[in-house]
Amino acid sequence: MVLASLLQSCVWLLVLPAHVFTYLGLWDSFYKKVFPYIMAKMAPAYNHKVCKQKQALFSNLRTFAGPSGQLTLLEIGTGTGTNFQFYPPGCQLTCTDPNPNFSKFLLKSLSENQHLKLERSVVASGEDLHQIPDGSMDVVVSTLVLCSVGSVQKVLAEVLRVLRRGGAFYFLEHVAADHSSWTYFWQKVFDPLWKCFGDGCSLSRETQKELEKTNFSELNLKHIYVTPHWIPSSPHIIGYAVK
């Protein structure tokens, strides 16, 4: 991996100005305002690519509804609300995101998906969901979020805390490729650039291992590749885990 380290250093130099602005405390405030606009442009194209996979993934959400038949769902890192169209009618939705600048895009998505009922929207990171009571959720959803959180372990601990027993955690995340592959080589090379312009997103995160270590009673997971297959973010995991 000497070549990868060398190329990674070259990429790091390319993003050095952004690191300087970060050190001066200027980058985060600027980029957190810009990032929602970038996601609003990119998310529909990604959603189109994985539409069938998301439809299949969320097709059994209703089976995890509580005794009343009402489904309470928490989405971590809701962003622009691109998953709303896949949630069942009447779903009681709680949204969280650490970036308050997503709010206007969230409201737009809600206006386009009036089959949902928004219970509350909270500005919070996935590692700290203290505003959500223990065991209050039937389902928790995370798509393209665990790649950019500070601690996957802490997020999953919070997921377990807020889920009722028998509730489910649904996920769709891009992950590290096989370590012997060229894809993993390029993931390591481009990680500095990706983290800088992807709001902390890592290309080479081993999310599956963290899920396997978490105390879920059942884990349903499979690997997929999102087109085009040559891009470093192509390898994904998709599935759900039951508390």
Side-chain angles (χ1 to χ4, degrees), residues 116-219:
L116 301 177
K117 181 182 178 182
L118 179 66
E119 292 295 309
R120 62 191 300 201
S121 180
V122 180
V123 177
S125 68
E127 294 95 333
D128 183 9
L129 301 172
H130 69 272
Q131 298 176 70
I132 312 299
D134 295 4
S136 61
M137 294 293 156
D138 299 315
V139 168
V140 177
V141 174
S142 161
T143 62
L144 302 186
V145 171
L146 298 181
C147 54
S148 57
V149 298
S151 169
V152 176
Q153 185 179 16
K154 287 182 180 179
V155 173
L156 294 179
E158 282 289 79
V159 168
L160 281 176
R161 181 184 65 78
V162 303
L163 274 176
R164 64 167 177 79
R165 186 165 298 279
F169 172 55
Y170 282 73
F171 54 87
L172 171 63
E173 300 285 344
H174 70 79
V175 294
D178 183 277
H179 287 203
S180 63
S181 68
W182 276 106
T183 301
Y184 184 71
F185 173 86
W186 290 113
Q187 284 179 336
K188 298 302 289 182
V189 168
F190 285 111
D191 237 358
L193 181 68
W194 207 270
K195 286 178 180 177
C196 186
F197 293 100
D199 202 22
C201 176
S202 172
L203 285 167
S204 56
R205 188 156 282 181
E206 306 278 359
T207 305
Q208 178 178 343
K209 293 180 180 179
E210 294 297 333
L211 283 164
E212 290 170 347
K213 288 189 296 185
T214 304
N215 192 30
F216 289 109
S217 65
E218 178 185 338
L219 177 60

Side-chain angles (χ1 to χ4, degrees), residues 65-136:
S68 67
Q70 189 72 55
L71 181 70
T72 57
L73 187 153
L74 166 67
E75 182 167 351
I76 299 172
T78 309
T80 59
T82 56
N83 290 325
F84 291 172
Q85 61 184 290
F86 303 103
Y87 296 158
C91 175
Q92 291 185 326
L93 181 66
T94 298
C95 298
T96 70
D97 200 287
N99 188 343
N101 297 299
F102 273 110
S103 59
K104 76 172 187 178
F105 299 100
L106 175 68
L107 292 174
K108 180 177 183 294
S109 289
L110 284 168
S111 70
E112 295 168 352
N113 292 276
Q114 297 188 11
H115 64 288
L116 301 177
K117 181 182 178 182
L118 179 66
E119 292 295 309
R120 62 191 300 201
S121 180
V122 180
V123 177
S125 68
E127 294 95 333
D128 183 9
L129 301 172
H130 69 272
Q131 298 176 70
I132 312 299
D134 295 4
S136 61

